[in-house]
Amino acid sequence: WSGATCLTPVCSPVCANSGTCSAPNTCTCTSSWTGATCATPVCSPVCSNGGTCSAPNTCTCAAGWSGAVCTTPVCSPSCANGATCSAPNTCTCT
């Protein structure tokens, strides 16, 4: 506790990303962050196919995937003649 009358809780380490210290060593996070010190970003919906949440609602996709939540497969080279990319590097002919 700190302050003139010891009413202010102290968090060590400090709360990050606009989190507030609500009790000694207890951070209350905004909706975009989670974890003991509000240092872990939240992605909603969650990242798929091995993607990681690198910032609030920002997925970093694993190789072979793209899109906002990593649900779009990537084909290299691109599918030809109207075929669709149905899985990483897998074209489905029409």
Side-chain angles (χ1 to χ4, degrees):
W1 297 95
S2 70
T5 57
C6 302
L7 292 176
T8 304
V10 175
C11 288
S12 181
V14 296
C15 305
N17 300 303
S18 300
T20 56
C21 188
S22 55
N25 296 320
T26 302
C27 295
T28 299
C29 306
T30 64
S31 61
S32 297
W33 298 91
T34 190
T37 60
C38 306
T40 303
V42 173
C43 286
S44 182
V46 297
C47 306
S48 298
N49 299 306
T52 57
C53 189
S54 53
N57 293 319
T58 302
C59 295
T60 299
C61 300
W65 297 96
S66 67
V69 292
C70 308
T71 55
T72 304
V74 174
C75 288
S76 182
S78 298
C79 301
N81 300 314
T84 57
C85 186
S86 55
N89 295 321
T90 302
C91 295
T92 300
C93 300
T94 54

